[in-house]
């Protein structure tokens, strides 16, 4: 809440990904990393990070973008 979401180049509004899919690299860049403590998310395992895509938050592998978990509509 209150954090501006800058849309990356090539952004497709309304797109979402499920567990096991891969986010496009632009979405798991450092600019989209979410502070898990601030939003009371579980601590990401080694090699993973929470990232924001529009109103959703994904737990993704930092190198490949593989989605391990997703929380839809965390931001609204």
């Amino acid at each position: 809440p209150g954090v501006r979401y800058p849309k990356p180049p090539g952004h497709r509004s309304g797109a979402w990904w499920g567990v096991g899919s891969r986010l496009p690299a632009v979405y798991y860049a450092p600019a989209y990393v979410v502070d898990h403590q601030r939003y009371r998310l579980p601590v990401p395992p080694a090699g993973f990070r929470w990232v924001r895509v529009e109103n959703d938050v994904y737990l993704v592998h930092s190198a490949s973008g593989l989605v391990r978990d997703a929380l839809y509509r965390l931001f609204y």
Side-chain angles (χ1 to χ4, degrees), residues 13-14 20 22 38-39 41 43 54 58-59:
S13 196
R22 291 184 195 278
R38 179 176 182 180
Y39 297 103
L41 298 168
V43 175
E54 288 190 357
Y58 297 90
L59 179 62

Side-chain angles (χ1 to χ4, degrees), residues 17-20 23 42 48-51 57-61 66-72:
W17 291 265
V19 173
L23 283 180
F48 285 81
R49 61 176 73 163
W50 287 102
V51 296
V57 179
Y58 297 90
L59 179 62
V60 299
H61 187 264
L66 182 67
V67 176
R68 182 169 173 173
D69 198 1
L71 299 171
Y72 303 108

Side-chain angles (χ1 to χ4, degrees), residues 23-48:
L23 283 180
V26 68
Y27 290 114
Y28 56 95
Y32 300 98
V33 173
V34 172
D35 179 356
H36 68 278
Q37 293 176 326
R38 179 176 182 180
Y39 297 103
R40 298 183 181 168
L41 298 168
V43 175
F48 285 81

Side-chain angles (χ1 to χ4, degrees), residues 5 16 44 61:
Y5 176 73
W16 62 274
H61 187 264

